[in-house]
Amino acid sequence: MSDVKAIAFYLPQFHPIPENDLWWGKGFTEWTNVSKAAPLFSGHTQPHLPGELGFYDLRVPEVRAQQAALARKHGIHGFCYYYYWFNGKRLLERPLDEMVKSGQPDFPFCICWANENWTRRWDGAEHEILMKQEHSRESDERFITDALPILKDRRYIRVDDAPLLIVYRADILPDAKATTDTWRAAAAAAGIPRLHLCAVQSFGLGDPRPLGFDSACEFPPHSIPAREITAEVKELDPKFTGKIYDYRDVVRSALRKPAVDYLRFRGVMTAWDNSARRGLGGHVYHHASPREYELWLRAVVAESAVRPPEQRIVFINAWNEWAEGTHLEPDVRNGYAYLEATASALAGHTGWREVLRASREQVDAPASVLRQYLRDLEFALEGYERSVQYLQSAAGVVERIAQETQLAVFTDRVPARLKRGAELTGQLYFDRVKGGPIRDGCTLRRSERVSVEGWAFAPGLSPEGDTHAYFVLRSRADRSRSYFAPLLHRHGRDDVARHHAKIDPSSTLRSGFSGLLWFEQVPAGEYDLGVVHASASRVVAAFAPDWITLK
């Protein structure tokens, strides 16, 4: 068994509470949505119905004990409980509080503060706030004071002996550095010398260090591009307004993500299908399977295994997100397949070693070992076949390397679509350039690879389909001189879509971007930095208000 620790996100929602009775109806739990889900197209797996554990109630201690036993048996190290805390008011707290108070089950755990507003997203009315989240210095202090007893629990998961505290939306903390400083000081005063603060990479978050966090953790499907296949599925409900993506493409994209210079815990998801919550407006990742999931998990386990021991952690989305279609708990259709895939991925290629040992000793290997050997060989060949297909599809070596690393190389070659004039009606914002904002100009070396994160869109142009996007450098000394690089990596930014609610949602759908810029082929000087979108009929550009200087 690998010493990589797999932590599964855990939803403590499956029990009635007064607030849900008021908002959704008497006795509401997630099972209400799960049980009424229906297929929306040919081959769509709905509803997801629970297997061995049934439609459980998390107020029952025996249920929590069964969950921990199943998880432990299949190699899961611990659970990460969502922690719903709103200025001192907690929701869905009973399973966690009873587990902490009773000491049972004796199973490692940590918490993730779900620090967003609680809205009616489940039925599509996102703008109706049910529980407002307010961030202030006083609430920062109160939050950590309330959480400290949990962090001191002997079962609490630690990184290098520091309690692991995860925040779902670090990006919406008004002054994240002040918040994290407050938490560390309060913990030290309470006898916890250090905290390990981890930011979930949701809604485009990249390097967590400027926000005062020690690490980040991936949270698929956030920030991982995938091919949309809505138009390809058969017998789709004509009223469907959501999106359907290819799960297999998510796996390919995730495995091509480049290394980063900060501590990033890799993450996987078993599947994704929130149509149980959102109905005809849901997002579905089709073609998910235990096999594809295991390929993904095997890869991130192998990557994590080379880190220092205290950093060998991967996250799984999720243990029991039934209404979002991502769960390790056994169901009627797949049984224990996802749990068994998890155990296999965490164990590594044991079948290979056993067959080699049996061959050396000239004894017959058990049938179970041979089956595992053949299964591992199948995985290896499948991975090789995918690699060959990917290399064959690349236009050239330079483009392939650039795409794998999300590296945008600026050249003076003007893309054919951009040879006509551009409208300056686009929207653009750089959240970070080289880890920080652009303020009063920014000086960069032409030889270095510069990380960028932000968002950009062109009103009236969808980022999907036949629209291409490029970074552009425009010389401030000679406006006729421009340099271009492909904008390769796009992802959803719900915050942008909400802020620009009056814009056609198709324009802002995948407005987020991140990647590396390389200016080696650009002469030194001052430049405006922008993003341009081009369709077959229009070109729309936008430039940042501050300039950059290349040296």
Side-chain angles (χ1 to χ4, degrees):
M1 181 64 71
S2 167
D3 61 354
V4 173
K5 297 175 180 177
I7 300 173
F9 284 99
Y10 181 102
L11 181 68
Q13 202 277 356
F14 298 92
H15 64 290
I17 61 173
E19 291 82 3
N20 277 340
D21 285 350
L22 175 65
W23 298 330
W24 313 104
K26 187 69 174 177
F28 175 89
T29 73
E30 282 277 52
W31 296 128
T32 308
N33 289 327
V34 170
S35 59
K36 69 182 182 182
L40 300 176
F41 54 88
S42 178
H44 185 202
T45 304
Q46 282 291 6
H48 287 234
L49 298 177
E52 173 188 323
L53 298 178
F55 292 99
Y56 54 73
D57 186 324
L58 286 179
R59 296 173 297 185
V60 180
E62 289 80 4
V63 168
R64 303 194 296 264
Q66 283 180 287
Q67 289 176 319
L70 266 179
R72 182 183 291 110
K73 178 180 178 181
H74 292 91
I76 303 296
H77 175 71
F79 292 146
C80 179
Y81 288 76
Y82 289 113
Y83 190 75
Y84 297 97
W85 187 96
F86 302 86
N87 308 308
K89 170 69 174 177
R90 290 179 60 200
L91 297 181
L92 305 176
E93 74 280 2
R94 182 168 174 176
L96 176 62
D97 286 355
E98 289 187 357
M99 183 270 293
V100 171
K101 183 177 180 180
S102 68
Q104 296 299 323
D106 189 3
F107 191 64
F109 74 97
C110 61
I111 61 173
C112 173
W113 182 23
N115 62 316
E116 291 183 305
N117 291 328
W118 193 314
T119 68
R120 293 186 68 93
R121 281 184 299 177
W122 294 354
D123 63 357
E126 296 193 35
H127 299 294
E128 184 178 342
I129 296 176
L130 303 176
M131 288 290 293
K132 186 174 180 58
Q133 189 69 262
E134 296 179 358
H135 295 286
S136 66
R137 177 64 178 269
E138 293 72 22
S139 68
D140 291 345
E141 294 174 350
R142 190 172 181 187
F143 168 81
I144 197 65
T145 299
D146 288 352
L148 281 171
I150 299 172
L151 305 185
K152 290 181 176 181
D153 191 284
R154 64 177 178 79
R155 296 162 293 174
Y156 199 87
I157 295 170
R158 288 166 168 77
V159 176
D160 196 20
D161 206 34
L164 172 62
L165 176 58
I166 302 172
V167 177
Y168 181 62
R169 291 293 305 273
D171 61 306
I172 65 174
L173 297 172
D175 188 342
K177 188 63 169 61
T179 296
T180 54
D181 288 344
T182 296
W183 290 351
R184 296 183 200 280
I192 301 178
R194 292 181 299 108
L195 293 176
H196 186 97
L197 301 178
C198 178
V200 172
Q201 288 191 312
S202 58
F203 301 94
L205 187 138
D207 189 343
R209 292 172 297 186
L211 301 179
F213 284 76
D214 301 291
S215 63
C217 68
E218 292 180 320
F219 191 71
H222 281 271
S223 301
I224 301 178
R227 187 173 68 90
E228 186 183 346
I229 58 172
T230 309
E232 299 174 20
V233 301
K234 298 179 180 178
E235 300 174 20
L236 179 65
D237 190 311
K239 298 179 181 177
F240 183 73
T241 59
K243 300 284 186 180
I244 303 171
Y245 300 96
D246 192 332
Y247 179 92
R248 299 167 299 185
D249 199 52
V250 172
V251 176
R252 286 190 287 269
S253 296
L255 299 187
R256 290 201 301 263
K257 289 182 76 171
V260 294
D261 63 355
Y262 56 86
L263 177 55
R264 178 185 65 192
F265 298 122
R266 298 304 303 266
V268 300
M269 64 180 183
T270 62
W272 185 269
D273 179 356
N274 63 8
S275 60
R277 282 184 178 171
R278 299 200 176 192
L280 293 167
H283 284 193
V284 180
Y285 284 73
H286 194 34
H287 301 304
S289 68
R291 181 181 188 81
E292 292 288 333
Y293 160 74
E294 184 175 343
L295 278 169
W296 189 357
L297 183 57
R298 278 178 179 245
V300 300
V301 165
E303 177 183 322
S304 304
V306 301
R307 292 181 178 152
E310 68 277 3
Q311 297 178 6
R312 294 172 187 169
I313 293 174
V314 297
F315 285 88
I316 300 174
N317 188 18
W319 175 256
N320 61 343
E321 281 279 11
W322 286 86
E324 293 186 335
T326 181
H327 52 86
L328 286 168
E329 288 178 333
D331 65 8
V332 169
R333 182 173 185 269
N334 291 299
Y336 290 85
Y338 279 99
L339 284 169
E340 291 168 351
T342 303
S344 177
L346 291 168
H349 298 269
T350 54
W352 295 78
R353 292 193 293 272
E354 288 299 312
V355 168
L356 290 173
R357 182 187 64 78
S359 299
R360 285 195 300 270
E361 297 176 4
Q362 295 184 333
V363 296
D364 293 330
S368 60
V369 170
L370 289 173
R371 278 196 295 271
Q372 180 63 43
Y373 171 78
L374 292 173
R375 191 164 181 268
D376 285 341
L377 183 58
E378 236 183 340
F379 271 111
L381 292 173
E382 187 168 327
Y384 172 75
E385 183 179 345
R386 288 186 180 200
S387 298
V388 170
Q389 290 174 348
Y390 175 64
L391 291 174
Q392 289 174 342
S393 68
V397 175
V398 173
E399 283 97 351
R400 175 177 61 80
I401 294 174
Q403 190 167 358
E404 286 182 341
T405 60
Q406 299 171 16
L407 179 65
V409 181
F410 280 93
T411 71
D412 59 2
R413 185 176 63 186
V414 182
R417 289 192 174 208
L418 303 183
K419 290 183 179 179
R420 59 181 179 273
E423 309 169 22
L424 293 176
T425 58
Q427 300 282 342
L428 164 69
Y429 186 76
F430 284 95
D431 295 313
R432 296 180 184 85
V433 173
K434 199 179 176 182
I438 304 178
R439 289 176 181 164
D440 299 324
C442 176
T443 301
L444 304 171
R445 292 197 306 271
R446 295 164 56 237
S447 60
E448 68 180 332
R449 300 182 181 190
V450 177
S451 62
V452 295
E453 299 173 34
W455 56 266
F457 65 86
L461 291 183
S462 170
E464 306 289 351
D466 195 36
T467 300
H468 296 239
Y470 305 87
F471 291 108
V472 57
L473 283 175
R474 184 176 62 186
S475 171
R476 293 173 66 87
D478 180 0
R479 291 302 179 101
S480 66
R481 297 293 298 170
S482 295
Y483 300 82
F484 299 91
L487 198 166
L488 299 169
H489 181 54
R490 305 304 295 269
H491 55 261
R493 284 284 297 260
D494 288 358
D495 56 329
V496 174
R498 287 196 298 268
H499 185 73
H500 295 277
K502 294 182 180 180
I503 300 293
D504 181 350
S506 65
S507 298
T508 61
L509 178 67
R510 295 177 63 78
S511 54
F513 62 77
S514 61
L516 298 174
L517 307 184
W518 196 9
F519 308 101
E520 190 172 57
Q521 298 182 49
V522 179
E526 290 185 350
Y527 293 88
D528 294 318
L529 178 57
V531 168
V532 59
H533 293 84
S535 71
S537 58
R538 291 178 61 205
V539 177
V540 180
F543 289 90
D546 296 294
W547 66 93
I548 64 170
T549 301
L550 298 180
K551 299 179 65 175

